[in-house]
Amino acid sequence: MSPRPAKASAEAPRTRDAERTRQIILEAATAEFASLGLGGARMDRIAERAKVDKRLIYYYFNNKDDLFLAVMERAYAAIRQAERELHLEALSPPDAVRKLVEFTWHYYLENPEFLCLLNNENLHQATHLKRSSQVREMHSPFVQWLADILERGQAQGLFRTGVDPVQLYISIASVAYFYLSNQFTLSEIFGRDLMAPPALDERLAHMVDVILGYLRP
């Protein structure tokens, strides 16, 4: 038997082990960065969370800034993948937009660490994302996908013309993000529990009305 296949099979588990270790580190780093920010995060604690030798973190990610960038890229990849799995192209344009608004809202609610990471990177003026080619590459198909939904809606007379898909997505993200990122101050100012289930349902209905109302011809 040729030794080459045996060598390949022996290397495969090591490759899988390396990728699994990377993912464990990234999960631990996500929790650390989300709770303490880039400045407060410590590589020692990330190693403790991941239950790995700290030297492994430096081996895979070089330094804390590179690790934070990897965490950001992983976070964006996760939400873009989840959006693709919605299969909005199979829905009518209004239903597709409604589903995207609902998805964005629930994703933010279920993944609060994503908002924390965004807050951190904005505090650093996107210093890390500026070094990433992956993030722009994964967003380009998403923008085209949303543009196709808008084009279908316009062709059917359901949507107004001249809508920028990037501006639309920023608006969808904004109406969800601002409410959640400012939930404590807004709840105090207006004397409401904005995170109570009825309030969350009311907010989602309002968001859908706002976005679809803007799109109507």
Side-chain angles (χ1 to χ4, degrees):
M1 179 180 294
S2 169
R4 190 176 300 275
K7 181 181 179 181
S9 64
E11 289 176 348
R14 287 200 296 271
T15 301
R16 287 195 296 271
D17 288 344
E19 182 56 29
R20 184 165 61 248
T21 300
R22 280 177 54 88
Q23 293 306 314
I24 290 171
I25 292 170
L26 287 170
E27 287 173 11
T30 296
E32 178 79 3
F33 288 131
S35 61
L36 295 166
L38 178 61
R42 295 291 178 266
M43 298 294 257
D44 286 335
R45 283 196 300 265
I46 294 172
E48 289 175 8
R49 286 176 183 265
K51 295 181 173 57
V52 300
D53 190 308
K54 186 171 70 171
R55 290 174 297 182
L56 271 179
I57 302 179
Y58 288 105
Y59 175 78
Y60 287 118
F61 298 102
N62 299 318
N63 55 55
K64 188 165 73 168
D65 284 297
D66 285 354
L67 176 58
F68 183 75
L69 173 56
V71 165
M72 290 297 301
E73 290 175 336
R74 180 174 180 264
Y76 274 114
I79 190 171
R80 294 288 88 89
Q81 177 59 35
E83 286 164 342
R84 285 194 294 273
E85 292 172 1
L86 296 174
H87 300 296
L88 299 185
E89 67 281 356
L91 302 176
S92 70
D95 285 345
V97 172
R98 180 181 293 105
K99 189 168 185 179
L100 180 59
V101 173
E102 293 171 347
F103 164 81
T104 302
W105 176 244
H106 290 301
Y107 192 91
Y108 288 178
L109 280 172
E110 294 163 9
N111 298 274
E113 70 281 357
F114 181 62
L115 301 187
C116 294
L117 292 172
L118 291 181
N119 288 338
N120 264 278
E121 183 62 351
N122 277 291
L123 284 173
H124 290 86
Q125 301 180 354
T127 299
H128 303 84
L129 290 180
K130 287 174 183 175
R131 297 194 286 116
S132 174
S133 60
Q134 292 183 31
V135 170
R136 288 191 179 185
E137 289 172 0
M138 69 179 72
H139 278 69
S140 294
F142 173 76
V143 172
Q144 184 56 54
W145 170 63
L146 189 52
D148 291 343
I149 293 171
L150 291 173
E151 190 174 311
R152 284 197 293 123
Q154 292 162 7
Q156 296 170 27
L158 300 172
F159 290 165
R160 58 183 290 185
T161 59
V163 178
D164 181 343
V166 172
Q167 290 287 4
L168 177 63
Y169 183 72
I170 291 173
S171 294
I172 292 172
S174 297
V175 292
Y177 174 86
F178 183 85
Y179 184 99
L180 296 175
S181 65
N182 293 273
Q183 59 181 275
F184 301 106
T185 52
L186 293 174
S187 292
E188 185 62 30
I189 288 169
F190 295 110
R192 298 184 182 184
D193 181 2
L194 294 182
M195 296 304 288
L200 295 177
D201 292 341
E202 181 182 3
R203 180 61 185 176
L204 177 55
H206 176 78
M207 289 164 50
V208 170
D209 285 346
V210 166
I211 298 300
L212 287 178
Y214 164 73
L215 289 174
R216 291 190 187 101

